Amino acid sequence: SQQGEEDPQALSIQEGENATMNCSYKTSINNLQWYRQNSGRGLVHLILIRSNEREKHSGRLRVTLDTSKKSSSLLITASRAADTASYFCATDFNNDMRFGAGTRLTVKP
Amino acid sequence: NAGVTQTPKFQVLKTGQSMTLQCAQDMNHEYMSWYRQDPGMGLRLIHYSVGAGITDQGEVPNGYNVSRSTTEDFPLRLLSAAPSQTSVYFCASSFLAGEAGELFFGEGSRLTVL
């Protein structure tokens, strides 16, 4: 079974609003990563957070990690139409990287 | 910069045929992996490798073989194609420093098995 589970499965917001996606996982991890996929393309890495970190920022992205709850969240601030894509969390444990089913984000102009 | 290159981009097979999906990276990455992506299922790990001569199974390895004779190449072989193997296949690579790092993905290979 897949390691990560994203929530919600789909999210639709207006441009300028913030988007929050959540990821839960089941086992111990070395790190957790977030990826973005535009329709029909390969995945692009967004951010990596290690198991001993609690929060990380990169531009308009903010990621949190709570290892006690086995969960992570990705916040995209001031969203743009170009942020429309699918977002996936991936967990690494001993080089075995597993992905969740993803959140489909639609940002309306 | 080529990055991760997958070939072919599209392939149609008949049930029972065999084929190899090619993956090459020019970033000297130790770690390489293959995923399949089906609608609503996200990506599922098929096989991965942490260096030349070393491979390991992922979540869904049955029906697939891999080998890693060089750092650059990580081909995925379908031994006897089945309709259930219709999917989009992604190859990915990363540096390895005790744990998997940022994965770089190819553009995918879309396989249809009739």
Side-chain angles (χ1 to χ4, degrees):
Chain A
S1 62
Q2 291 184 250
Q3 167 74 313
E5 296 291 337
E6 287 92 343
D7 172 63
Q9 291 184 332
L11 180 61
S12 182
I13 59 175
Q14 294 293 133
E15 210 166 25
E17 293 180 338
N18 294 342
T20 299
M21 289 160 264
N22 302 298
C23 170
S24 59
Y25 58 93
K26 299 175 184 174
T27 66
S28 298
I29 61 171
N30 294 325
N31 66 60
L32 186 144
Q33 304 179 32
W34 284 91
Y35 288 81
R36 164 195 169 125
Q37 184 182 36
N38 288 91
S39 183
R41 306 298 301 275
L43 280 73
V44 175
H45 181 265
L46 294 176
I47 197 164
L48 179 155
I49 186 166
R50 291 192 165 78
S51 60
N52 62 353
E53 297 175 313
R54 292 295 167 259
E55 188 171 314
K56 209 161 183 182
H57 297 255
S58 177
R60 293 185 295 115
L61 306 180
R62 172 179 170 256
V63 169
T64 62
L65 178 63
D66 187 334
T67 53
S68 65
K69 295 181 179 178
K70 291 187 168 57
S71 68
S72 173
S73 67
L74 171 68
L75 169 68
I76 303 174
T77 60
S79 63
R80 306 165 182 167
D83 292 329
T84 293
S86 291
Y87 292 81
F88 297 88
C89 69
T91 53
D92 167 56
F93 182 69
N94 290 346
N95 304 316
D96 185 330
M97 285 201 63
R98 302 287 178 103
F99 284 76
T103 293
R104 175 70 191 168
L105 173 66
T106 302
V107 181
K108 300 175 184 176
Chain B
N1 293 336
V4 178
T5 303
Q6 291 183 233
T7 56
K9 287 186 169 48
F10 300 93
Q11 182 72 49
V12 179
L13 290 178
K14 294 181 180 178
T15 296
Q17 288 184 317
S18 63
M19 77 156 298
T20 299
L21 298 176
Q22 301 291 345
C23 177
Q25 52 91 9
D26 61 357
M27 297 171 282
N28 203 30
H29 285 167
E30 302 97 329
Y31 184 90
M32 295 186 75
S33 54
W34 277 102
Y35 292 88
R36 59 177 288 173
Q37 184 175 32
D38 303 296
M41 295 289 292
L43 279 78
R44 290 184 290 170
L45 181 64
I46 304 171
H47 287 284
Y48 64 97
S49 168
V50 297
I54 305 169
T55 63
D56 211 339
Q57 296 182 349
E59 189 178 0
V60 288
N62 292 341
Y64 307 94
N65 271 359
V66 292
S67 59
R68 185 93 181 270
S69 56
T70 67
T71 300
E72 294 78 18
D73 300 299
F74 192 45
L76 178 72
R77 298 182 186 84
L78 280 71
L79 308 173
S80 178
S84 60
Q85 293 179 305
T86 293
S87 189
V88 181
Y89 291 84
F90 288 98
C91 179
S93 71
S94 81
F95 286 112
L96 200 59
E99 61 188 61
E102 170 189 351
L103 287 174
F104 291 79
F105 280 83
E107 288 297 309
S109 297
R110 196 171 292 270
L111 175 66
T112 301
V113 182
L114 303 175

